[in-house]
Amino acid sequence: MTGTVTTRGAHLEALRRIGHIPVLIVGGGINGMGTFRDLSLQGVDCILVEQGDFCSGASRAPSRMIHGGLKYLETGEFRLVRESAAERNRLLCNAAHYVSPLEMIIPIHSWFGGVVPALRKFLRMPAKITERGALVIKLGLWLYDLYGALNRVMPRHRMISRQDILREIPDLDPSLKIAASYYDAWITSPERLVVELALDGMAANPDNIALNHLRFSGVKGNQVELQDAQSGEFFSLTCDVLVNAAGAWIDRVNASTSASRRMIGGTKGSHLMLDLPALAETLHGRMIYFEADGGRICILSNFMGNVLLGSTDIPVDDPDGVICDDDEVDYLLGAFRRLFPQVPVDRSNIFFSYAGVRPLPANDMSDPGAVSRDHSMPELPPEGERQFPIFSLVGGKWTTFRAFSAEATDEILGRLGKRRLSSTVDVPIGGGAGLSQAAAPTEKLLSAIMSDHGLSRHRAYQLVTRYGVRAKFLAQVLADGETVLASLPEFSQEEIAFICETELVLHAEDFLFGRTSVFLERPLDHAALNELVDAIGSVRSWDDAHRVTELERLIERYRKTHRMVVSERQNRRPQFL
Ligand SMILES: Cc1cc2nc3c(=O)[nH]c(=O)nc-3n(C[C@H](O)[C@H](O)[C@H](O)COP(=O)(O)OP(=O)(O)OC[C@H]3O[C@@H](n4cnc5c(N)ncnc54)[C@H](O)[C@@H]3O)c2cc1C
C-alpha cells in the first residue's frame, strides 16, 4: 500500500460513466468491506457504497475484542468458536499493527455455580446461566484452549489464587474466590482497518471504487439508484449481484428494493470511556471479563491509559441515532461499582460514550444474549423487473469478517461463473504487511524510519502504531518538517494533510472518528476541535463559512451521538449530558 492520492471527484466522475457493474455492495462496515477486498483480489469489478463514513455502524462500536468467543461454548456453537479462534489467530498475523494479544481476567465468586444450567445448555435444553463457578469456567477454558490450538500464538489459560489476583489488582471486589486468566486479542483501530481494506481493494483492482457518503436509495425497475449525500446527485446503474451488507439496516435496504423479508433482530450495545488512569494502570494492559447483573458478560479494560467499560444488549427496531441512554449508564456504572467497590465513580468520570446495533438474525428469543452470533447469507432471488439476486450479510462478529467475506465471495464468484484466484487466509491487511507479533520487524521499521527520515524514536513509534508499514510513506512526507497542532499535539498539519488526501476524508468527523482513535484516548476540548477543523480546512481549501459548518457538525456529533457537551469556554473539559 502506498500513499496514493484518492479523490472523491474522480470516483464520482467514474460513477457517471459506469452503466453496469458486476457486483454492487451496500454498506462499508467490516463485512461489506471485507467482501469488497476479497472480490477485488479475485479480479472482480465491484463498487461499494457507504451512506455515512466507512465503518460508521456496528463496526465502529465494538468492545475491540478479537476473540474466539468463549461464551459461545455455553450455547454449544462449537463451529463458531473454532472459526473465531482461527480467525483471531490469523488477524494477529495479518493485522499485527492493530491486533495484539490480550490477557483476560475472569473474577470468580463461586466454586460450583452454573454447573446444572451449563449442562442443560450444553445438551441444548432451556437454561439461563446467572453465575459461572470455577468448575464451569475451568472446563470452558480447557475447551477454549483446544479450539485455539490451530496457529496458536498465545499462552494457555491458568487459574490465579485469590491472594495473587488481589495483590495484582488490589481494588477488585475482595469477595471473589479465585480468578482465571486466558488469552484473546484486541484491536486498537477497527476504524482504520476498515479503511485499509478499502484501500487494499482499490489497489488490487484499480477500477474498483469504495466510496463513503454515497447512499443506496433503492431499485427502480432493474436500475440501482445511488445518491451523493453531499451534492444530492443521483447515479443509476445495473448490476449482476447486489450484496446487502447494511448491518442493522439490512431490512430497510431490502425493503427499498421491494423485497421485504424480516432478517434482522438488532440489539443495541453501549460503552463508556472513563477517565480513571490509576485504575487503568493497575490492569497492566489486561481486560476484565466479568458477570454483571443477571449473569450478562461485560468487559472493562485499559484503553490507551483510560478505562473502557461495556456493553449492554438491548433489542431495538430503529438503528438510526442510537445512543448510550440513562438506563445503560446506570447499569454499566452499577456493574463497575460491584466489580471495584473501593473505586469512586460517577457520571463526571465519563468523557465519551458510544453505541452500536449488532445486526443479529431475526429471532423471538427473550434473552438477547442467547441469540446466535454466527453469520448467514440469505438470498432474495430476482423478482419482477429486478433481474439480479440480493445476498444479505446477516450477523457475524468483527473477528470473523474474513471468513464471512470469503464465503460471500465464493458464492458470488459461483454466480458470476468465475473461479477464486487466491485465498485471503494469509494476506496481510494494509500497514500490517511484513509485521508480526515478534518485536524484530517493528524494531527494523522504527530504525529505518529514524535513520532514513530523521524522525525521533517517539514520533517514529507513534506513526508505526498508527499506520504500520505505511508509516514509511508518511515519514517521507514529514522529513521536511512538521507543524504540530498546539491543542492536539498528537498530530501535525502535514500528517493530517496526508491522511485527508489518501483516505477519502470528506468531513472533519471522518478524520477524527474514522481515521484516528484519539477521541477515545482523552477528552477533546473546543480548542482542539477548532484547530483540527482549521487544519483539514487548509488541506481542503474550505472558506470560513465551511469551517464554521464543519466545527458545528463536530460539536453536534459530540452532543447528539456521544452525549458530550463541548463548551466554547476556554479550558473547559467536555461534560457528559
Ligand atoms: C456494542 C457492540 C460490541 C461488539 N463487540 C465486538 C467485539 O468486541 N468483537 C467482535 O468480534 N465483534 C463485536 N461486535 C460485533 C461486530 O461489531 C458486528 O458484528 C460487525 O461490526 C457487523 O458489521 P457489518 O459490516 O455487518 O455491519 P455495520 O458495521 O453496521 O455496517 C453496515 C453499514 O451499512 C451502512 N448502510 C446502511 N444503509 C445503507 C444504505 N442505504 N446505503 C449505503 N450504506 C448503508 C451503514 O451506514 C453501516 O456503516 C460488537 C457489536 C456491538 C454493537
Side-chain angles (χ1 to χ4, degrees):
M1 185 200 291
T2 62
T4 313
V5 173
T6 320
T7 69
R8 181 174 188 82
H11 287 328
L12 292 175
E13 189 46 46
L15 277 177
R16 283 182 201 109
R17 278 185 281 105
I18 297 171
H20 178 83
I21 188 81
V23 184
L24 181 80
I25 304 169
V26 180
I30 187 58
N31 288 323
M33 205 57 92
T35 307
F36 174 78
R37 177 191 70 153
D38 200 343
L39 286 168
S40 301
L41 287 168
Q42 310 316 320
V44 174
D45 291 342
C46 54
I47 293 174
L48 178 145
V49 298
E50 165 54 52
Q51 64 180 358
D53 187 24
F54 301 124
C55 194
S56 53
S59 303
R60 195 177 281 185
S63 302
R64 299 188 176 233
M65 286 167 73
I66 296 297
H67 61 136
L70 179 63
K71 64 182 172 186
Y72 313 137
L73 288 175
E74 280 176 6
T75 41
E77 294 183 275
F78 301 115
R79 192 207 70 80
L80 180 58
V81 178
R82 188 181 308 110
E83 181 174 76
S84 306
E87 290 303 320
R88 174 198 67 195
N89 293 353
R90 283 180 185 130
L91 271 171
L92 281 160
C93 300
N94 294 334
H97 56 324
Y98 297 144
V99 180
S100 326
L102 174 65
E103 187 180 359
M104 314 285 295
I105 300 291
I106 313 180
I108 306 173
H109 289 86
S110 89
W111 297 107
F112 301 107
V115 172
V116 176
L119 262 177
R120 286 180 66 90
K121 277 206 158 206
F122 197 76
L123 298 170
R124 296 184 183 264
M125 292 162 72
K128 185 166 164 67
I129 303 184
T130 50
E131 186 182 45
R132 295 156 186 88
L135 184 66
V136 166
I137 288 173
K138 173 83 194 162
L139 198 70
L141 290 174
W142 175 76
L143 261 177
Y144 200 58
D145 279 342
L146 283 185
Y147 278 113
L150 188 68
N151 303 323
R152 178 187 297 287
V153 279
M154 298 181 295
R156 291 166 197 278
H157 83 273
R158 67 193 166 101
M159 303 306 279
I160 309 175
S161 72
R162 180 177 178 277
Q163 292 88 316
D164 285 350
I165 196 67
L166 289 177
R167 195 176 318 116
E168 290 173 30
I169 310 176
D171 290 322
L172 265 180
D173 173 11
S175 73
L176 60 81
K177 299 257 185 302
I178 189 169
S181 146
Y182 71 99
Y183 275 81
D184 256 324
W186 70 301
I187 178 164
T188 47
S189 297
E191 311 83 5
R192 291 204 50 79
L193 203 65
V194 169
V195 171
E196 292 194 350
L197 285 167
L199 299 179
D200 284 2
M202 290 191 277
N205 186 343
D207 287 337
N208 284 354
I209 296 173
L211 201 53
N212 47 0
H213 304 289
L214 185 67
R215 191 169 169 273
F216 167 86
S217 57
V219 173
K220 281 204 184 121
N222 193 39
Q223 296 275 329
V224 170
E225 301 266 305
L226 309 174
Q227 188 179 22
D228 179 0
Q230 200 184 25
S231 65
E233 180 179 356
F234 278 96
F235 303 86
S236 187
L237 46 125
T238 55
C239 63
D240 297 323
V241 175
L242 183 82
V243 179
N244 180 353
W249 294 264
I250 278 179
D251 288 348
R252 282 202 197 158
V253 165
N254 285 336
S256 68
T257 70
S258 313
S260 57
R261 188 169 115 202
R262 186 170 172 237
M263 295 183 183
I264 295 293
T267 69
K268 177 173 66 147
S270 296
H271 288 84
L272 299 175
M273 282 303 305
L274 305 169
D275 62 348
L276 295 169
L279 175 65
E281 175 86 34
T282 66
L283 297 177
H284 295 294
R286 293 171 293 191
M287 180 180 267
I288 303 194
Y289 189 78
F290 67 103
E291 279 175 0
D293 251 2
R296 234 197 80 68
I297 300 290
C298 285
I299 59 99
L300 180 145
S301 70
N302 172 349
F303 189 85
M304 308 289 177
N306 286 298
V307 168
L308 171 67
L309 173 66
S311 69
T312 48
D313 203 359
I314 301 166
V316 288
D317 292 326
D318 182 1
D320 281 335
V322 289
I323 57 164
C324 176
D325 63 34
D326 280 337
D327 287 348
E328 291 174 282
V329 174
D330 292 343
Y331 174 86
L332 290 170
L333 292 184
F336 178 99
R337 289 186 189 109
R338 279 188 294 281
L339 186 66
F340 291 109
Q342 317 287 349
V343 182
V345 68
D346 61 32
R347 288 176 178 229
S348 67
N349 294 105
I350 302 173
F351 73 88
F352 199 76
S353 72
Y354 62 87
V357 181
R358 303 174 182 87
L360 302 181
N363 62 85
D364 50 15
M365 292 202 185
S366 56
D367 175 12
V371 180
S372 171
R373 264 50 176 175
D374 210 343
H375 54 250
S376 63
M377 199 174 60
E379 175 184 357
L380 294 167
E383 193 186 325
E385 288 179 272
R386 175 172 54 78
Q387 290 160 25
F388 53 85
I390 304 172
F391 290 100
S392 301
L393 305 191
V394 176
K397 301 290 297 169
W398 228 106
T399 310
T400 49
F401 83 86
R402 192 212 59 83
F404 193 9
S405 304
E407 275 173 43
T409 300
D410 286 340
E411 181 69 43
I412 296 161
L413 287 172
R415 294 305 166 107
L416 299 176
K418 292 186 172 238
R419 285 189 28 242
R420 177 174 278 284
L421 303 178
S422 61
S423 159
T424 49
V425 165
D426 295 319
V427 181
I429 303 170
L435 296 181
S436 72
Q437 295 303 325
T442 304
E443 269 309 317
K444 211 168 140 199
L445 180 61
L446 283 172
S447 307
I449 290 178
M450 290 187 296
S451 62
D452 295 353
H453 306 295
L455 298 188
S456 69
R457 187 175 173 85
H458 169 75
R459 185 63 173 135
Y461 183 78
Q462 205 174 38
L463 296 180
V464 168
T465 47
R466 274 182 202 160
Y467 310 111
V469 294
R470 198 166 177 245
K472 283 190 293 196
F473 302 107
L474 192 50
Q476 241 165 15
V477 176
L478 305 184
D480 292 338
E482 295 189 70
T483 316
V484 172
L485 270 55
S487 47
L488 199 60
E490 294 90 339
F491 290 94
S492 68
Q493 173 71 46
E494 293 74 11
E495 179 179 351
I496 292 172
F498 181 86
I499 298 302
C500 289
E501 280 166 2
T502 57
E503 295 188 351
L504 290 162
V505 171
L506 182 61
H507 296 290
E509 59 180 320
D510 299 350
F511 179 86
L512 182 60
F513 298 114
R515 311 293 181 274
T516 81
S517 22
V518 68
F519 60 96
L520 288 181
E521 292 167 22
R522 66 182 180 89
L524 297 180
D525 61 12
H526 192 274
L529 301 187
N530 194 22
E531 211 181 343
L532 176 67
V533 168
D534 267 344
I536 300 174
S538 313
V539 185
R540 288 273 174 262
S541 310
W542 290 340
D543 61 17
D544 285 350
H546 196 145
R547 288 176 199 217
V548 169
T549 310
E550 286 286 333
L551 181 60
E552 283 171 358
R553 201 179 153 123
L554 262 188
I555 291 173
E556 182 62 1
R557 161 86 178 254
Y558 257 94
R559 195 187 66 78
K560 229 172 134 184
T561 311
H562 307 293
R563 298 190 63 183
M564 299 305 306
V565 179
V566 179
S567 159
E568 234 178 295
R569 275 173 42 203
Q570 234 192 349
N571 299 330
R572 178 89 193 246
R573 179 197 138 109
Q575 303 288 308
F576 187 69
L577 256 178

